[in-house]
Amino acid sequence: MKNTNILLAGSTGYLGSYLLKVLIEKQNQVIAIARNPNKVEHRNEDYLEVKQAEVTNPETLRDICKGINIVISTVGITRQKDGLTYMDVDYQANMNLLKEAVKSEVQHFVYVSAINGNFHRNLKIFEAKEKFVDALKSSGVAYTIIRPNGFFSDMKDFLRMANSGRVYLFGSGNQKFNPIHGEDLARAIVDMLDENTNEITIGGPDVLSLNDISKLALSALNKPIKIVHMPDFLRRITIWGLRIFTSAKTYGPIEFFLTLMAEDNIAPPFGNRHLSDYYNQEAKNFI
Ligand SMILES: NC(=O)c1ccc[n+]([C@@H]2O[C@H](COP(=O)([O-])OP(=O)(O)OC[C@H]3O[C@@H](n4cnc5c(N)ncnc54)[C@H](OP(=O)(O)O)[C@@H]3O)[C@@H](O)[C@H]2O)c1
């Protein structure tokens, strides 16, 4: 894919910044929208224009898709930062973008949900994300829904726990998944822009159990292997308690991680970046 006009929303985030890097590398013309343009890491006058826009405010998006062929959105709440709900951001902000895309007859809209989101609509995050997926599918715009496994950036939680000397897991720790590096995922997404793929589930090259990941994190920090297994009913009580005593803004991200990590989530593998290398690199920031 080369020299296509692409609007990228989410370019200041983990995945978005790798997408921006790869899109520019492949010489696409990119408009990156950001609420804080100073946060956009890449600069390239030949291929990149950064526009200030607030995806939650439709006024700031007016005509943003004029002349655009493809919209890619990685906009979503991963860790709660600004008091908005998943419905405000993962659903409504993406709807604001989609409305502009439809108006300007954009050819293709790429949206990043997450692995098995369609089977977990009871979770607050997926209630919003999958509502957007439904709207995108019926919008008339050609679409690709990306369903990635956990990102390496989110696997840093294990390093943080390991840094305290112990990793705490619910259940046996044998639940397996294949997390993916942001750059591998970005390359897969950009490669896919030429194809008519409607929906794809994708993970990294290594299938690892939670025990494996804990050991990698402890080893990267040169700590002895100490993994504490807590009974799974405590996980369920934690989710239940948080749902009762806190707002969706608090419990949403926690129920998402605690639910997906309680089951195997193995996606078709892609890429060549390994979590062990990522941990060895990141561990330097912990010492
Ligand atoms: N992390 C994972 O393990 C994982 C796994 C599967 C799928 N996903 C999904 O993949 C997508 C990208 O994830 P990521 O890790 O790259 O997320 P991220 O680093 O948190 O980046 C999210 C992007 O959305 C923007 N955003 C969030 N709230 C906003 C708001 N209220 N107004 C305007 N912009 C807002 C952020 O802008 P600012 O920089 O201005 O905040 C940022 O550009 C998300 O939809 C996520 O749910 C994540």
Side-chain angles (χ1 to χ4, degrees):
M1 174 67 54
K2 205 176 165 187
N3 294 325
T4 291
N5 294 326
I6 295 179
L7 183 94
L8 177 63
S11 60
T12 52
Y14 173 70
L15 173 60
S17 66
Y18 283 113
L19 275 167
L20 192 51
K21 178 184 168 204
V22 177
L23 287 169
I24 293 171
E25 208 177 277
K26 302 228 172 199
Q27 303 183 348
N28 293 283
Q29 297 293 334
V30 185
I31 294 179
I33 52 170
R35 51 182 166 172
N36 178 1
N38 295 328
K39 252 186 104 179
V40 179
E41 281 176 18
H42 304 275
R43 293 280 172 262
N44 186 314
E45 283 175 10
D46 293 334
Y47 295 109
L48 172 65
E49 185 184 348
V50 180
K51 286 189 178 170
Q52 209 263 329
E54 177 58 80
V55 276
T56 50
N57 178 356
E59 285 301 307
T60 68
L61 295 176
R62 187 171 295 166
D63 294 333
I64 201 90
C65 292
K66 230 178 187 171
I68 293 291
N69 306 110
I70 301 175
V71 172
I72 305 177
S73 175
T74 68
V75 167
I77 296 174
T78 303
R79 316 259 160 179
Q80 187 53 249
K81 281 178 286 197
D82 41 23
L84 296 177
T85 64
Y86 290 122
M87 274 299 169
D88 296 329
V89 180
D90 295 67
Y91 173 67
Q92 191 56 53
N94 282 304
M95 285 302 290
N96 297 340
L97 274 173
L98 179 58
K99 198 172 161 207
E100 288 296 325
V102 171
K103 190 175 86 186
S104 297
E105 297 179 357
V106 162
Q107 290 151 19
H108 190 177
F109 196 115
V110 180
Y111 174 64
V112 181
S113 182
I115 188 166
N116 289 335
N118 38 340
F119 302 117
H120 288 293
R121 286 173 181 251
N122 57 316
L123 302 183
K124 278 287 163 192
I125 186 170
F126 289 127
E127 184 188 6
K129 278 189 177 302
E130 296 302 315
K131 192 172 175 194
F132 178 71
V133 167
D134 292 343
L136 178 56
K137 284 182 175 175
S138 57
S139 67
V141 179
Y143 63 86
T144 304
I145 315 292
I146 314 284
R147 297 194 175 282
N149 221 326
F151 297 171
F152 279 12
S153 53
D154 268 352
M155 300 303 118
K156 268 200 256 180
D157 284 347
F158 288 88
L159 268 185
R160 286 187 198 103
M161 267 197 281
N163 199 36
S164 73
R166 275 186 175 75
V167 177
Y168 295 86
L169 298 177
F170 289 111
S172 67
N174 292 328
Q175 308 91 303
K176 291 188 181 62
F177 64 121
N178 52 332
I180 186 163
H181 192 288
E183 183 156 357
D184 279 342
L185 180 56
R187 290 194 183 280
I189 293 173
V190 174
D191 285 352
M192 235 174 278
L193 296 179
D194 284 327
E195 298 163 12
N196 294 323
T197 308
N198 279 150
E199 206 150 337
I200 180 159
T201 300
I202 180 166
D206 305 318
V207 175
L208 300 162
S209 69
L210 294 180
N211 289 322
D212 295 332
I213 291 175
S214 308
K215 286 177 197 161
L216 289 179
L218 289 158
S219 303
L221 291 161
N222 292 319
K223 305 265 186 195
I225 306 299
K226 288 186 186 164
I227 303 172
V228 180
H229 293 98
M230 299 177 293
D232 189 63
F233 75 84
L234 285 180
R235 180 188 64 83
R236 281 176 271 133
I237 288 177
T238 304
I239 296 174
W240 175 81
L242 286 171
R243 267 192 170 245
I244 289 183
F245 296 113
T246 68
S247 72
K249 291 172 200 161
T250 304
Y251 75 73
I254 303 173
E255 73 166 4
F256 165 58
F257 289 113
L258 291 187
T259 303
L260 265 74
M261 294 218 165
E263 60 191 25
D264 285 348
N265 277 300
I266 301 172
F270 184 87
N272 52 23
R273 288 169 178 82
H274 302 282
L275 189 63
S276 50
D277 298 331
Y278 178 79
Y279 275 171
N280 289 335
Q281 191 59 34
E282 288 293 322
K284 293 176 190 156
N285 302 325
F286 283 77
I287 295 164

